[in-house]
Amino acid sequence: MKPWNLCFALALLVLATAWGGAAAPAASPALTVYLVRHAEKELAPGLSDPPLTAAGQARAQALVGALRRAHPAVLFTTNTQRTRATLAPLATATGLAPRPYNAQQPQALADTLRRAYAGRAVVVVGHSNTLLPLLAALGAPAPVPEIPDDEYSYLFEVRVPAQGPATVRVRHYGAR
């Protein structure tokens, strides 16, 4: 082989190795957020912080089954009796202590979730008027225009990738 052919072949080998041999950076795993509204609450007039009804307690138990395979890293709840009670059976089953969050600051929670829990699953219990703003803060489209006062069965599974748009899968849990 002539010297210039050998140089040309070596150059091609070096270029092929540089282009084909470099591993692409690994994609960051997606954050998965499970959003649920608190379960059925007592509707007696005058209660500023109503407890769950018997149906609500049954739904809270059903949440454990619905999220059994999710293996959440953390549980978040607002500071109301009904949200804490909705999350209590799951907290017991996972051994995780629920952490409070301010539902009036959805962007702050969304930023914390992206930063601290990428690649993991998180459960957030909120209210009919706070879940859709949190979905928006996570960059996910609203799958429903509103959550009616008598609707407690929604379980939104939100996938938030490091790059690109978030997606929402609508599920239901407990009795409809």
Side-chain angles (χ1 to χ4, degrees):
M1 184 178 252
K2 293 184 180 181
W4 64 271
N5 283 344
L6 183 58
C7 289
F8 182 72
L10 285 173
L12 283 177
L13 182 61
V14 168
L15 287 174
T17 302
W19 284 333
S28 296
L31 161 68
T32 303
V33 182
Y34 296 94
L35 296 176
V36 296
R37 179 186 180 195
H38 61 77
E40 289 87 336
K41 65 182 179 182
E42 182 63 52
L43 297 175
L47 295 175
S48 62
D49 188 12
L52 295 182
T53 62
Q57 292 170 6
R59 185 174 306 281
Q61 289 294 330
L63 186 60
V64 176
L67 295 177
R68 176 173 287 128
R69 295 186 179 130
H71 304 290
V74 66
L75 310 174
F76 284 95
T77 179
T78 63
N79 195 23
T80 63
Q81 186 174 204
R82 60 194 174 274
T83 56
R84 291 189 313 265
T86 300
L87 201 50
L90 185 61
T92 299
T94 60
L96 297 171
R99 297 176 63 179
Y101 76 97
N102 183 343
Q104 301 309 313
Q105 297 179 342
Q107 193 61 57
L109 179 59
D111 292 345
T112 296
L113 296 178
R114 278 192 205 92
R115 184 180 62 253
Y117 300 100
R120 302 194 304 185
V122 172
V123 177
V124 179
V125 179
H127 305 270
S128 62
N129 63 342
T130 65
L131 294 181
L132 296 180
L134 182 54
L135 279 167
L138 289 166
V144 294
E146 69 176 11
I147 300 173
D149 283 341
D150 62 350
E151 177 58 62
Y152 298 95
S153 71
Y154 282 126
L155 171 57
F156 300 113
E157 181 179 335
V158 186
R159 303 272 302 160
V160 184
Q163 302 293 319
T167 58
V168 181
R169 181 175 154 217
V170 178
R171 297 169 42 191
H172 292 274
Y173 77 103
R176 296 275 319 252

